[in-house]
Amino acid sequence: MALQRTHSLVLFLLLILLELLLVQPSCGQNHMYQRFLRQHVDPQGTGGNDGYCNLMMQRRKMTLHQCKHFNSFIHEDIWNIRSICSTANIQCKNGKMNCHEGVVKVTDCRETGGSKAPNCRYRAMASTRRVVIACEGNPEVPVHFDR
């Protein structure tokens, strides 16, 4: 009886481990997913002003060696963003068919020009708008902000 319980427990633990492995993005996708989160997701932020962009672009390490000209921060929780990956596939700017669109709250940060890294300066524009993100993996996760 004890041996049967041990086998059942081992089988149960193996099934849980297999499930965890199946729902995790691959190593390369995980790197791209983490980069997407760092560069584009700020669920607690409200954004909307130049100071926000100046701070976030520096804090998220997009001004170290040169000023990134344009970046968008999404102000939604990650599950809302990930749900965009379950919408119909559309064509990305690079021609691939792994993009998806959804409507989210964003702050667009545009470099003002003339500023030098690491003290880059940005203009902010807050809105609720349609975005297009590329998704990869099984399950699909966002890996690139297309537009």
Side-chain angles (χ1 to χ4, degrees):
M1 185 72 173
L3 185 58
Q4 186 178 4
R5 266 191 259 168
T6 302
H7 284 288
S8 296
L9 181 61
V10 168
L11 181 60
F12 178 71
L13 292 173
L14 284 172
L15 288 173
I16 289 175
L17 182 61
L18 180 62
E19 182 177 334
L20 288 173
L21 290 173
L22 290 176
V23 298
Q24 294 296 318
S26 73
C27 185
Q29 290 160 346
N30 190 45
H31 172 73
M32 295 298 292
Y33 176 56
Q34 293 301 321
R35 182 177 181 204
F36 177 87
L37 294 176
R38 177 179 59 83
Q39 289 188 348
H40 301 293
V41 178
D42 183 24
Q44 283 81 37
T46 55
N49 64 51
D50 298 348
Y52 170 85
C53 285
N54 294 334
L55 177 67
M56 290 301 289
M57 293 296 286
Q58 195 167 49
R59 187 179 283 171
R60 299 288 179 95
K61 302 186 183 335
M62 290 180 273
T63 63
L64 288 177
H65 305 295
Q66 62 184 23
C67 300
K68 185 174 182 183
H69 297 295
F70 184 83
N71 191 68
S72 298
F73 290 101
I74 303 173
H75 306 298
E76 303 280 348
D77 74 53
I78 190 55
W79 298 109
N80 287 347
I81 298 167
R82 283 181 69 161
S83 72
I84 294 171
C85 294
S86 64
T87 64
N89 289 52
I90 63 170
Q91 190 170 23
C92 304
K93 287 191 291 189
N94 67 4
K96 290 173 110 180
M97 288 299 295
N98 65 324
C99 277
H100 307 267
E101 63 183 343
V103 176
V104 293
K105 292 177 283 195
V106 298
T107 297
D108 294 316
C109 301
R110 185 175 307 278
E111 201 249 334
T112 60
S115 58
K116 300 281 185 212
N119 298 314
C120 306
R121 295 290 165 243
Y122 292 88
R123 293 269 183 259
M125 175 78 155
S127 63
T128 298
R129 68 174 176 88
R130 182 183 70 93
V131 297
V132 177
I133 58 174
C135 301
E136 292 181 358
N138 187 13
E140 286 191 314
V141 294
V143 294
H144 175 71
F145 194 103
D146 201 59
R147 56 187 179 269

